[in-house]
């Protein structure tokens, strides 16, 4: 187990130390005293487990491919943005744009998420144990977005092919977001995904998988059509 | 018989446009860029003042005049070094065909210049055939891939584009082929609407953090460009410089697009001439002129446009549409196919249809075959080299041994507007407007 004390070191020094240790085949790295600093553990391309003992600022775990990052506090904006694969787990809450534009991997949030969770996501899985703010799933393209608690306003607005599940209440659906019934076997699959990443003890809201609401795109924004003028006029 | 008088307000073209909207119920979407008659100040409103008695020219066809262009000297460990100051701008694989992307890469490489990825990620063949490749990070983040970012020679964080500042582009369903859909993680055949805002930052202050992230992701090795659509250029350039840009790209309203609402192309943004003047002024006012390099884009057609932009303060120019024209855009060949999409050679702005008659802005395999990669690359290389020679000729005539030594004093303004904008005297006067 390698350790890096972030106190008094620049972001550049910390990230370089992470890269050096993972290149030296450390499988477990702990970063102490992160001090809510921005851009920690970005673009880590090794299969290494990084434990951050505290809260982080913007873009922690952004642009990673294969790393597993565990943040033992809360995270600022854009946690895990544009990741290709790997896992980012946040014990606390996350700021806006969490998991923005991810193309793969899994983001697990034990607390609540702020606005635009999973915005423009292109793949992967996002799981939130608590609630999420407005415009979660905005323009999301692919992948799976799971919110165990309540979802804020304009949920799943203007999506392409992302599939969303919400365990609690949805304040309101965004433009072109529609509720859809769970397919046969889908509840079991959802339960499996949840159990794999978020055991019941960590779920604040605990609806059973079969009670999750499924939200997908109504596909009315997928191609321009003059008959849909009003939804374009009113689109967020 | 005297001719019947037509309205100057509701001219025939306006009547057609109104009736087309009334029929279709849709606003006009098209490619290419603004089609308006140029009534705003442009580089054509400037003229060079070559040497006579007060300054001594260099021998036009023989004496050395350096064109070497270095970009990214502020923070990057490895600034990019180009043989020439004319670069190929970012145009996406999606908007452009595979053959067009590869031809641009090869042509730019052969001329010792750079090319840029665009709003659809990096093509393997693009990297392999580029000498200097700039990786664009756009609001959509289509195809974003850290491995591609790390093999790029520079990163360009795009905030906006001259043809449509403040809005995202479009890629209509006819061009979202299976390969493009896969690359962009989209369903096949959707009308793709690119976002206007980045998904993970909003303003100039958190952009500072984004720039640091890109530096960390590329280990502070390569330059970070920030690209702006020309609107409030004076303020935006200062904010981009504050955010830590090595290089700032300003794209004027004459810039092109693969597809966007016509209303943006015709009614938004600042002319390129005004953009370069404001950008230089902004960098001077924050004491970073020269330290932060400036690239100007938007309707640059030839060496004269490029030389004037450089004399006004640009370190280099991007070309986009001109490079596509070198690839045969709007050439009078396959005339029937132009007509089939409602266009004609020299009057085609139908990039959005995906039915480009010359194989450039299409994903149709048969149309794409019309663009031969090797021949296209050769023409792009030729254009870049000729433009560079034109810049050199003007620079030598102005007594400069380096094209980057061109300065505002080498020019006079032909119109009062250009004089006021550029701060150089109107021909026949000694008066200078100060910013």
């Amino acid at each position: 187990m390698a350790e890096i004390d972030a106190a008094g070191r620049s972001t550049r020094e910390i990230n370089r130390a992470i890269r050096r240790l993972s290149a030296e085949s450390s499988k477990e790295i702990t970063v102490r005293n992160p001090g809510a600093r921005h851009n920690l553990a970005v673009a880590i391309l090794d299969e290494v487990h990084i434990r951050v003992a505290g809260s982080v600022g913007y873009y922690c775990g952004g642009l990673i491919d294969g790393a597993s990052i565990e943040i033992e506090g809360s995270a600022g904006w854009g946690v895990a943005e544009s990741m290709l694969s790997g896992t980012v787990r946040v014990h606390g809450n996350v700021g806006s744009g969490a998991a923005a534009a991810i193309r793969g991997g899994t983001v697990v949030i034990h607390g609540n998420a702020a606005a635009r969770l999973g915005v423009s996501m292109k793949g992967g899985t996002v799981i939130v144990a608590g609630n999420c703010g407005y415009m979660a799933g905005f323009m999301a393209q692919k992948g799976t977005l799971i919110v165990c608690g309540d979802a804020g306003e304009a949920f799943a607005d203007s999506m392409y092919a992302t599939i969303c599940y919400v365990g609690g209440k949805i304040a309101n659906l965004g433009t072109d977001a529609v509720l859809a019934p769970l397919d046969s076997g889908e509840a079991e699959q959802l339960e499996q995904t949840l159990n794999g990443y978020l055991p019941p003890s960590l779920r604040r809201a605990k609806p059973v998988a079969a009670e999750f609401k499924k939200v997908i795109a109504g596909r009315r924004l997928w191609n321009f059509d003059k008959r849909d003028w009003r939804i374009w006029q009113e689109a967020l | 018989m005297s001719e019947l008088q037509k309205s100057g307000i509701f001219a025939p073209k306006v009547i057609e446009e109104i009736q087309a909207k009334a029929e279709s119920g849709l606003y006009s979407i098209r490619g290419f860029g603004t089609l308006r008659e140029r009534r705003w100040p442009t580089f054509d409103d400037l003229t060079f003042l070559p040497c006579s008695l007060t300054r001594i020219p260099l021998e036009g066809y023989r004496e050395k005049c350096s064109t070497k262009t270095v970009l990214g000297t502020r923070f990057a460990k490895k600034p990019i070094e180009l043989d020439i100051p004319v670069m190929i701008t970012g145009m996406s694989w999606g908007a452009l065909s595979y053959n067009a992307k590869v031809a641009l890469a090869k042509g730019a490489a052969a001329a010792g210049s750079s090319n840029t990825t665009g709003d659809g990620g990096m093509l393997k063949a693009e990297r392999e055939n580029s000498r200097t490749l700039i990786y664009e990070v756009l609001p959509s983040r289509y195809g974003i891939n850290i491995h591609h970012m790390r093999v790029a020679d520079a990163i360009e964080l795009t905030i906006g584009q001259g043809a449509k500042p403040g809005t995202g582009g479009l890629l209509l369903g006819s061009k979202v082929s299976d390969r493009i859909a896969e690359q962009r993680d989209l369903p096949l055949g959707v009308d793709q609407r690119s976002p206007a805002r980045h998904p993970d930052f909003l303003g100039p202050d958190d952009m500072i953090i984004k720039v640091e992230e890109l530096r960390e992701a590329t280990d502070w090795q390569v330059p970070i460009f920030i690209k702006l659509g020309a609107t409030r250029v004076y303020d935006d350039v200062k904010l981009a410089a504050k955010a830590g840009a090595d290089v700032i790209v300003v794209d004027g309203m004459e810039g092109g697009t693969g597809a966007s609402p016509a209303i943006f192309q015709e009614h938004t943004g600042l002319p390129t001439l005004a953009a370069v003047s404001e950008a230089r002024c902004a960098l001077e006012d924050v004491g970073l002129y020269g330290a932060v390099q400036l690239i100007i884009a938007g309707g640059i057609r030839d060496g004269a446009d490029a030389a004037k932009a450089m004399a006004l303060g640009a370190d280099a120019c991007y070309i986009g549409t001109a490079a596509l024209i070198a690839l045969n855009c709007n050439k009078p060949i396959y005339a029937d196919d132009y007509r089939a999409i409602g266009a004609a050679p020299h009057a085609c702005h139908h990039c959005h249809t995906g039915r480009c008659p010359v194989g450039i802005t299409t994903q149709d395999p048969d149309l794409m075959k019309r663009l031969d990669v090797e021949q296209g690359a050769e023409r792009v290389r030729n254009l870049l080299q000729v433009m560079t020679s034109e810049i050199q000729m003007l620079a030598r005539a102005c007594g400069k041994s380096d094209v980057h030594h061109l300065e505002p004093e080498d020019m006079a303004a032909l119109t009062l507007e250009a004089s006021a904008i550029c701060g150089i005297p109107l021909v026949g006067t000694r008066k200078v407007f100060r910013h």
Side-chain angles (χ1 to χ4, degrees):
Chain A
M1 167 82 79
E3 271 200 20
I4 298 165
D5 187 352
R9 303 172 89 170
S10 71
T11 304
R12 206 171 161 188
E13 288 168 342
I14 300 162
N15 284 335
R16 279 197 169 164
I18 293 173
R19 289 213 177 84
R20 195 187 62 243
L21 288 168
S22 63
E24 286 166 5
S25 74
S26 290
K27 291 290 164 225
E28 298 273 335
I29 300 168
T30 298
V31 179
R32 298 214 177 276
N33 303 308
R37 192 193 297 268
H38 303 308
N39 294 321
L40 288 180
V42 300
I44 303 298
L45 309 179
D46 300 307
E47 288 185 15
V48 56
H49 182 77
I50 300 165
R51 200 168 69 89
V52 184
S55 291
V56 295
Y58 276 46
Y59 310 134
C60 183
L63 293 159
I64 60 168
D65 187 14
S68 157
I69 298 172
E70 188 158 7
I71 299 158
E72 295 181 344
S74 290
W77 281 39
V79 67
E81 68 90 14
S82 302
M83 76 186 273
L84 288 181
S85 74
T87 310
V88 175
R89 183 179 287 276
V90 184
H91 291 186
N93 303 316
V94 293
S96 292
I102 64 167
R103 297 186 73 196
T106 307
V107 178
V108 185
I109 296 147
H110 295 183
N112 299 317
R116 296 185 296 279
L117 168 73
V119 54
S120 286
M121 63 186 281
K122 296 156 177 29
T125 305
V126 180
I127 304 169
V128 181
N131 307 323
C132 71
Y134 64 88
M135 286 176 92
F138 182 55
M139 291 185 95
Q141 298 169 221
K142 277 187 182 165
T144 309
L145 179 64
I146 305 168
V147 179
C148 295
D150 300 337
E153 293 183 336
F155 185 70
D157 192 285
S158 305
M159 289 201 311
Y160 296 98
T162 297
I163 297 174
C164 305
Y165 302 97
V166 180
K169 295 190 294 288
I170 299 172
N172 61 51
L173 292 173
T175 304
D176 195 40
V178 295
L179 291 166
L182 295 179
D183 297 334
S184 73
E186 205 172 352
E188 290 73 24
Q189 213 183 338
L190 178 58
E191 188 66 43
Q192 222 171 10
T193 305
L194 281 172
N195 285 336
Y197 289 100
L198 202 65
S201 61
L202 286 175
R203 282 178 237 166
R204 294 205 197 162
K206 296 181 184 172
V208 294
E211 285 169 14
F212 272 72
K213 297 177 213 36
K214 177 181 172 184
V215 181
I216 57 173
R219 304 186 175 199
R220 287 200 300 158
L221 301 178
W222 280 24
N223 292 94
F224 294 108
D225 186 331
K226 65 180 172 186
R227 286 165 303 189
D228 293 330
W229 179 77
R230 195 157 293 283
I231 60 170
W232 285 101
Q233 188 211 13
E234 292 171 354
L236 281 169
Chain B
M1 201 177 90
S2 66
E3 211 180 318
L4 290 171
Q5 198 169 359
K6 292 183 180 118
S7 168
I9 299 167
F10 291 93
K13 202 180 72 178
V14 177
I15 292 173
E16 272 177 29
E17 278 172 10
I18 291 173
Q19 288 170 348
K21 286 174 196 168
E23 288 288 328
S24 70
L26 271 177
Y27 50 80
S28 166
I29 293 169
R30 59 169 178 76
F32 203 73
T34 181
L35 302 178
R36 287 169 72 179
E37 207 183 319
R38 293 185 107 187
R39 289 199 186 143
W40 54 84
T42 73
F43 292 118
D44 286 344
D45 298 327
L46 299 174
T47 187
F48 276 104
L49 305 175
C51 305
S52 51
L53 285 176
T54 57
R55 296 180 178 199
I56 314 301
L58 297 185
E59 263 324 314
Y61 309 101
R62 282 193 290 279
E63 279 183 305
K64 189 171 153 35
C65 177
S66 173
T67 59
K68 186 179 161 187
T69 300
V70 182
L71 302 166
T73 53
R74 189 184 183 193
F75 294 122
K77 191 174 250 175
K78 295 181 194 158
I80 62 176
E81 292 192 10
L82 307 175
D83 292 343
I84 62 172
V86 186
M87 307 155 81
I88 306 288
T89 194
M91 293 177 276
S92 76
W93 178 48
L96 301 195
S97 66
Y98 179 93
N99 285 11
K101 285 298 281 176
V102 179
L104 290 173
K106 281 184 173 235
S113 187
S114 72
N115 49 293
T116 302
T117 54
D119 195 10
M122 182 190 287
L123 270 169
K124 192 164 161 274
E126 187 175 27
R127 175 64 277 185
E128 287 165 359
N129 287 289
S130 300
R131 185 184 113 152
T132 302
L133 181 60
I134 301 163
Y135 186 84
E136 213 173 346
V137 176
L138 291 116
S140 71
R141 311 281 170 86
Y142 291 131
I144 187 123
N145 186 314
I146 179 61
H147 303 283
H148 295 167
M149 201 183 277
R150 285 175 74 97
V151 294
D153 300 294
I155 308 294
E156 182 171 280
L157 180 63
T158 297
I159 306 303
Q161 191 182 333
K164 48 177 189 292
T167 202
L170 298 165
L171 193 69
L172 299 185
S174 57
K175 293 172 89 168
V176 184
S177 66
D178 45 4
R179 287 183 74 191
I180 297 300
E182 190 193 341
Q183 168 93 356
R184 299 191 182 201
D185 302 299
L186 285 167
L188 189 70
V190 296
D191 291 331
Q192 167 239 290
R193 309 145 263 140
S194 296
R197 287 195 306 266
H198 280 270
D200 51 4
F201 71 93
L202 291 178
D205 294 320
D206 43 3
M207 186 171 77
I208 297 171
I209 309 169
K210 173 54 73 177
V211 169
E212 186 194 46
E213 185 201 20
L214 296 173
R215 297 254 186 227
E216 288 292 318
T218 52
D219 202 23
W220 294 72
Q221 299 290 307
V222 302
I224 308 287
F225 295 17
I226 294 180
K227 179 178 176 179
L228 305 162
T231 56
R232 293 172 181 82
V233 176
Y234 180 72
D235 293 323
D236 286 347
V237 163
K238 288 201 281 187
L239 290 166
K242 183 189 172 197
D246 292 296
V247 176
I248 297 174
V249 182
V250 182
D251 189 16
M253 66 179 267
E254 294 99 319
T257 173
S260 48
I263 204 93
F264 282 101
Q265 295 173 55
E266 307 299 16
H267 297 284
T268 63
L270 249 55
T272 305
L273 180 77
V276 62
S277 301
E278 280 200 40
R280 179 192 180 133
C281 200
L283 288 174
E284 281 176 342
D285 285 359
V286 292
L288 288 172
Y289 180 65
V292 171
Q293 280 84 42
L294 180 64
I295 298 175
I296 284 297
I300 304 282
R301 302 161 299 180
D302 55 20
D305 284 349
K308 289 169 185 176
M310 291 174 71
L312 287 174
D315 294 275
C317 296
Y318 274 169
I319 60 167
T321 304
L324 301 188
I325 291 173
L327 289 178
N328 282 350
C329 165
N330 269 289
K331 189 169 185 170
I333 48 175
Y334 307 108
D336 288 345
D337 293 335
Y338 280 95
R339 275 191 285 279
I341 53 172
H346 300 145
C348 185
H349 33 80
H350 291 48
C351 328
H352 61 293
T353 64
R355 304 295 306 160
C356 177
V358 290
I360 300 168
T361 59
T362 182
Q363 298 305 319
D364 181 283
D366 292 328
L367 288 173
M368 188 173 79
K369 279 188 205 136
R370 295 179 178 180
L371 175 60
D372 182 274
V373 172
E374 296 305 327
Q375 291 171 10
E378 183 63 23
R379 291 196 301 273
V380 170
R381 170 201 181 147
N382 288 341
L383 177 68
L384 290 170
Q385 290 181 340
V386 171
M387 283 181 70
T388 303
S389 299
E390 289 172 338
I391 299 168
Q392 281 179 302
M393 286 192 281
L394 289 166
R396 286 193 192 102
C398 292
K400 311 294 197 238
S401 60
D402 186 320
V403 293
H404 299 94
H405 295 167
L406 283 166
E407 54 191 328
E409 287 73 15
D410 292 321
M411 300 185 294
L414 295 167
T415 66
L416 203 52
E417 285 93 339
S419 170
I421 290 166
C422 303
I424 58 180
L426 177 67
V427 285
T429 76
R430 311 260 77 76
K431 285 204 174 70
V432 178
F433 292 81
R434 297 281 171 204
H435 279 281

